[in-house]
Amino acid sequence: MARRKEIGRSYSGNALFSAKIVCAECGHYFGAKVWHSTSKYRRVIWQCNGKFKYEMHCSTPHFYEDEIKERFITAFNQFFQNKDLVLEACNAAIAQLSNTDSIEEKVQILAEQLELILMEKRDYVLNHIRDELNQLEFDRKRAEFDRRYNEKAEAYNRLQEKLMQRQSRAEFLQKFYSRVEALPGAIDFFDAALWRTLIDKATVHSDGKIIFTFLDGTEIEA
């Protein structure tokens, strides 16, 4: 869900390569196009969806599906050669992300401060009712309580979000670690399951090279 939100454009998960292949020039995703749809020469190509949207056309080339698969096989086999290093890096990242003690301590402190501000505001309102303080002074003081509370609440929410992101990333990398650890070896055929579970994106450049970005951040040119 976070990835789809980041994409920001219409997302389709129907095709194997949808929302995976990115144009390095304009940032649009590649989409499937059919050539000679009614003849025996019918071919499906993958081309930048933004190629002809602007006055300056993208110079990134199109690819046949088999070409993308062959490039992926090459990239995967290079990735597999570094399997031990990838697993070591994943372990280190997981350990770092899982160490959230300092963040949790700050969250607890802010939660206590928020509770204290609410109690102070409640006591002040009760005293105002009994003592009939000046209304302007009452409004000013109450606004000050609200300002302090909102300021702390924003900091609290930011830390909570940061904590959730770290926990989510740690869980994500743990799953990725398990997938990589279970890899049987190099491949000589395209495996759709490996493509879906290991590749974040494939970036196409104008010179025809493709940079495959694996889910742990590893980048391999093929």
Side-chain angles (χ1 to χ4, degrees):
M1 290 174 65
R3 182 174 182 274
R4 294 184 183 189
K5 182 178 179 181
E6 184 179 345
I7 288 173
R9 293 183 289 276
S10 59
Y11 175 92
S12 171
N14 295 328
L16 183 64
F17 300 121
S18 292
K20 287 276 195 181
I21 306 174
V22 186
C23 175
E25 288 194 12
C26 70
H28 280 81
Y29 286 91
F30 274 48
K33 308 289 186 294
V34 180
W35 284 0
H36 310 292
S37 60
T38 59
S39 75
K40 63 179 181 179
Y41 301 107
R42 184 182 186 277
R43 298 292 298 274
V44 176
I45 67 159
W46 285 80
Q47 177 180 278
C48 174
N49 287 328
K51 190 173 185 66
F52 303 112
K53 285 188 175 182
Y54 310 104
E55 185 175 347
M56 294 294 293
H57 296 169
C58 294
S59 59
T60 49
H62 65 266
F63 289 96
Y64 295 113
E65 193 168 292
D66 288 343
E67 291 180 277
I68 300 172
K69 292 179 178 179
E70 290 173 5
R71 302 277 192 105
F72 169 71
I73 292 171
T74 300
F76 172 82
N77 289 335
Q78 290 183 45
F79 175 82
F80 185 79
Q81 290 177 2
N82 298 320
K83 177 180 176 180
D84 291 340
L85 291 176
V86 170
L87 292 178
E88 183 179 345
C90 273
N91 254 338
I94 291 168
Q96 182 181 17
L97 290 167
S98 299
N99 184 11
T100 58
D101 291 348
S102 63
I103 298 178
E104 291 178 8
E105 183 179 353
K106 291 176 183 177
V107 167
Q108 181 60 35
I109 292 173
L110 284 170
E112 292 172 358
Q113 290 175 344
L114 286 170
E115 182 65 24
L116 181 60
I117 293 172
L118 286 177
M119 291 175 61
E120 289 177 352
K121 181 180 178 180
R122 181 197 61 193
D123 292 343
Y124 178 78
V125 170
L126 290 176
N127 287 332
H128 171 265
I129 293 174
R130 287 197 299 266
D131 299 340
E132 296 184 356
L133 298 176
N134 178 276
Q135 186 64 42
L136 290 176
E137 175 62 17
F138 171 76
D139 292 341
R140 186 197 66 78
K141 190 69 175 179
R142 188 171 59 176
E144 176 63 17
F145 281 121
D146 291 341
R147 185 195 63 77
R148 287 170 54 203
Y149 183 89
N150 291 336
E151 185 178 276
K152 296 292 183 182
E154 287 179 7
Y156 176 87
N157 291 334
R158 284 196 300 269
L159 282 177
Q160 283 281 46
E161 184 178 356
K162 183 178 180 179
L163 182 62
M164 291 176 62
Q165 287 175 347
R166 287 174 66 103
Q167 292 170 339
S168 176
R169 181 65 178 168
E171 292 174 7
F172 176 83
L173 283 178
Q174 186 60 61
K175 292 177 182 178
F176 179 80
Y177 180 97
S178 299
R179 294 189 193 110
V180 174
E181 188 179 37
L183 292 176
I187 59 175
D188 56 8
F189 61 91
F190 179 78
D191 188 321
L194 290 178
W195 166 268
R196 290 192 183 97
T197 58
L198 297 182
I199 295 295
D200 178 41
K201 63 182 178 180
T203 306
V204 178
H205 293 260
S206 58
D207 59 1
K209 71 181 179 184
I210 301 179
I211 305 295
F212 291 87
T213 304
F214 289 75
L215 290 176
D216 69 328
T218 299
E219 292 185 344
I220 294 179
E221 178 183 337

